[in-house]
Amino acid sequence: MTAWTRRALLRGALGGTTVAVGLPFLEAFVGRGARAAVTAHPLRFGTWSWGCGVNPDRWFPAVTGSDAPFPVELAALTPWRHRLTVLSGFDAKLDGRPNFPHHSGVSALRSGVAPDADHTIPAASLDVLIAGAVGGSTPFRSLDLSATGRRSDTYSWVQAGVANPSDVSPLALYERVFGLAPSGGTGAPDPGLVLRQGVLSAVADDVKRLESRLGSHDRQRLDLYLTSVRQLERQLQLLAEPPDLAACQPTPPGEPDDTGTTLEQAVVTHKALVDVLVMALACDRTRVFNLVFSWGISELRLAGSNISQHQLTHDEPIDGALGYQPEATRFVLAAMDALAYAVERLASVPEGEGTLLDHCILLAHSETSLAKTHDITSLPMLVAGGGNGGLRQGQHLAGNGAPVSRVGLTLLQAMGLPVERWGQGALQTDRPVSDLLA
Amino acid sequence: MRPAVAPLALLLAACGADPEAAADLPEPASVQGPAALRRLTAREYRNVIHDVFGEEVAIPWRLEPDVREAGLLGVGAASVSVTPSGLEDYEAAARGIVAQVVSPGRREAWVRCAPAGPTDDACAEATLARVGALLLRRPLEPDELAARVELSRAGATAFGDFHEGLGLGLSSLLLAPSFLFRAELTEPGVPQLTPLSLASRLSFLLWASAPDEALLAAATDGSLGTAEGLDLQVDRLIADPRFLRGVRSLFADLLQLDALDDVRKDEALFPAFDDALVVEAREQTLRTVEQVVDADDDIRTLWTTRQTALTRKLGLVYRQPVAAAEGWQDTRFPEDGPRAGLLTHVSLLSLLAHAGRSSATLRGRFVREVLLCDEIPGPPTNVDFSALEGTAAGPTARDRLTVHMRTPACANCHEAMDPVGLALEQFDALGAFRTEEAGALIDPSGELDGLVFDDAVGLGVALADHPALAPCLVDTVWRAATGRQVEPGEAPLLTWMDARLATSGHSLRALLRDVATSEAFRHVSGPREAAP
């Protein structure tokens, strides 16, 4: 065990109430199926989402199993076929609740709950559950990013009604993650940092006084505020220590800092965000991330076009000869190109005998299948990465109408969380997708 | 939104009463809703800092985003919390503010004692007690204050500078839960806000900011608890210049102008668009609101007035010359021109549109939901969009949307939204005037619940005459005041306020005064419990 890992474990053990310490933590640290292995790299979890789904016939492989060729809309990911599992036939089950377009499907997928009203956040999303378990030992519990230019574009839900806002500027993200320079390597604590921690300690004491006079609705909200205070206290402490990982070589983003609503801009922003994110992971600044490439009700356009992606999926005629909507489909292809870039960048960072991708579980998904009809059966999903040896890769798995929450449960368990059952109503499940696991 | 009740006019007609008589009735007893714990909105945060430390303090732009609920950020504020990344934002903002206000030239505005040396507990305590009461909107508890004095001393020792040290104590106040959240408290078993909680409700409603020292004093000395004392404070707050700022904040929230921050237009299609234009467009609309309220005109005039203010940059989009090379000029839209009222402002027209294309549906939905408080359900589940294929059939939005209105599943809602929005089709996605779309003449005529009009100007008149417009404003103000949805049993209270508003000549000042001095405003059902 390296000095770094000892320190990380110690941090976990000292984490107090905000960190789940013990076997689940250790499992998360070394990963399922790798418990006996000598390498001990932190296991990371990320989500990557794109809006407005796919053309199912052109996206899902025609056959299941390990030799399934990738059809045309997955072609960009062909080089990574052996590192991915394509999932089909996992449905959002709504228990008779309405299908709120572009919301119910992703809510089922990410939180295991079908919402009973539009635009509402019914429960914590799985990335937040994972960050709660493994995020306490890094400066950032999670990094939440969007290439769309809108901070409100996020599927990272902290609790009912509360979302983690997204970072949208690569430069601001870089400053946030790496801006606090280590104190010259001398090991001497920066007096400013110690005092900033003092500021937060005083604040934490105020919460108790206030909570005693509030109802339960508001106490829950202040509890989250207090968790955030504790997290920032830890963050200040952890950021003061220089990272000593070989692959940690952050460089500021070179692209001009701009965001906008064209697909072209989103592609550029996404690349710059991924570059900062990959370094944040390599430097162990965080172990959990969420990246939104495009939003469900996507306002992205091709430059010079006056119709947004979302509008196209509804208004554009299906080309009789092609059998699909050609303009809308360009956004699907661009999303898969972008995903391939993210996977390639994760695989480009060496860690021990392998790469960062080996030590990741990346869930890529959309919020619908065919957006034209807001179909939420067979939600398009990919799981990439080795999961520290815990994931089976290079296959197409069919759920045959199983609840989509089975995938979430599987990933929670693969990340080492002691969760036996997840989801609500028809989405409640205690059956992981065992074929997804090594 | 208010539960359906018979329109006031019908009720009154049925009773043979007139609005003036109804308005003279005493405030009806009403049910109460729970107290709110509201996170400061970005606007409120900015206003408080400016009030305490001076207008020139720059507020970092990045605060945890506000969330709109029941049409208002002011209601969403009672649901949000502070996430880990949000707290990073607030901490950075606190440091940014503190760095400015402790500097020589700025600190004199709030540090009123000369420190005896780098450490001076007495000066620190006096300063933090006074400023802390303004920030936390109540006197500090002894241990609360002691912790900040101690921090200030530790900082002063580490930095060798009194004011730098004091800045730490101040930072800690700017991150305190009692600063970031305004908690409405009651005494156990008494469904009435404490005087200090009432003071905050008043100042945030009327100023979009914290109480000043005089209001806090009225809360602590008991005078706010008397009818005369309350009237005195409410009149003072309304007479203060900060009242118009409060009105601006209310309308920025009501009209959803914050969403302009996310508006982008296609550069090739709309070369006039840039971020500065959006900022000025928002300011234009808020200035127009200010003009109407400052003159105490009928608030419904907002939808018909040609009076406005422009910059030269905006003048280019409005194709209206602006004499002033810099800054703002009060002006009028041409009397025979196509524009009158806020619906014809670039702010709302560009907000209620896509990046490349106008949207009659978004504009119509805004009028229905935001201005008339109608509820428009979302698109039906698994709606068959194939009806919309081949929408190239006609060149104009009216051609495209006719499909909606012919499709039974779509028709119910689109019949309510689209005819309203189509009246604004002579304004493109940026808000520039046009008479044609794709070479075809645009027909802006239509009707609003039986009121027929020829164009956008006529829509404004129909809207101003619409019986639901003023009651919807009352609803919205009530939601803003209480930080929650209207309770089902509150209809009689709001109907009473409707009548008072009508007899006041639709004076927003009168409405806000009525709300602020009402029994209902200072009562709550108790703390808010989580849904089971």
Side-chain angles (χ1 to χ4, degrees), chain B residues 290-319:
Chain B
E290 223 179 298
Q291 288 167 348
V292 168
V293 176
D294 197 24
D296 207 15
D297 285 340
D298 186 322
I299 194 67
R300 298 171 303 171
T301 311
L302 289 177
W303 309 104
T304 56
T305 183
R306 294 187 192 262
Q307 184 67 38
T308 189
L310 291 177
T311 61
R312 196 167 267 192
K313 187 179 182 72
L314 284 168
L316 293 175
V317 179
Y318 284 99
R319 286 176 221 135

Side-chain angles (χ1 to χ4, degrees), chain A residues 153-239:
Chain A
D153 289 354
T154 174
Y155 296 122
S156 181
W157 300 329
V158 190
Q159 59 192 36
V162 183
N164 280 317
S166 286
D167 269 308
V168 297
S169 152
L171 209 54
L173 175 67
Y174 182 84
E175 299 269 310
R176 185 178 164 216
V177 177
F178 298 110
L180 192 80
S183 52
T186 62
D190 177 347
L193 282 180
V194 175
L195 293 168
R196 279 169 72 190
Q197 287 176 306
V199 164
L200 294 169
S201 302
V203 164
D205 292 339
D206 297 343
V207 173
K208 294 181 197 79
R209 182 198 335 271
L210 188 52
E211 275 196 339
S212 65
R213 302 189 66 180
L214 300 176
S216 55
H217 174 267
D218 297 330
R219 282 201 304 274
Q220 287 169 9
R221 296 163 60 214
L222 276 195
D223 285 346
L224 174 57
Y225 162 87
L226 186 57
T227 301
S228 301
V229 171
R230 298 293 187 211
Q231 175 69 22
L232 187 53
E233 283 183 286
R234 295 183 60 75
Q235 185 175 315
L236 293 175
Q237 179 190 334
L238 295 170
L239 284 175

Side-chain angles (χ1 to χ4, degrees), chain B residues 3-36:
Chain B
V5 286
L8 176 68
L10 292 181
L11 277 177
L12 296 171
C15 305
D18 60 59
E20 267 151 50
D24 284 343
L25 294 173
E27 176 183 344
S30 186
V31 301
Q32 271 95 41

Side-chain angles (χ1 to χ4, degrees), chain A residues 99 140 151 163-164 167 176 196 199 203 206 209 213 215-217 221 225 228-229 235 299 301 304 306 372, chain B residues 37 62 77-78 80-85 88 91 95 143 148 175 266 354-356 385 389 528-530:
Chain A
N99 175 10
F140 299 90
R151 296 193 68 202
N164 280 317
D167 269 308
R176 185 178 164 216
R196 279 169 72 190
V199 164
V203 164
D206 297 343
R209 182 198 335 271
R213 302 189 66 180
S216 55
H217 174 267
R221 296 163 60 214
Y225 162 87
S228 301
V229 171
Q235 185 175 315
E299 280 287 318
R301 298 161 301 114
N306 69 358
K372 184 178 180 61
Chain B
L37 176 77
R62 194 184 145 116
V80 294
S81 181
V82 175
T83 64
S85 80
E88 286 178 48
E91 201 249 358
R95 283 186 289 126
D143 57 335
R148 269 73 189 192
L175 288 171
D266 189 87
H354 300 293
F385 281 90
E389 275 178 30
R528 185 167 168 190
E529 305 297 339

Side-chain angles (χ1 to χ4, degrees), chain A residues 7 10 60 70 77 94 157 188 250 284 292 303 313 316 346-347 399 430:
Chain A
R7 194 168 70 222
L10 185 62
F60 290 105
F70 276 8
L77 289 160
L94 302 185
W157 300 329
D284 207 30
V292 175
T313 63
E316 187 186 9
L346 290 170
D430 57 4

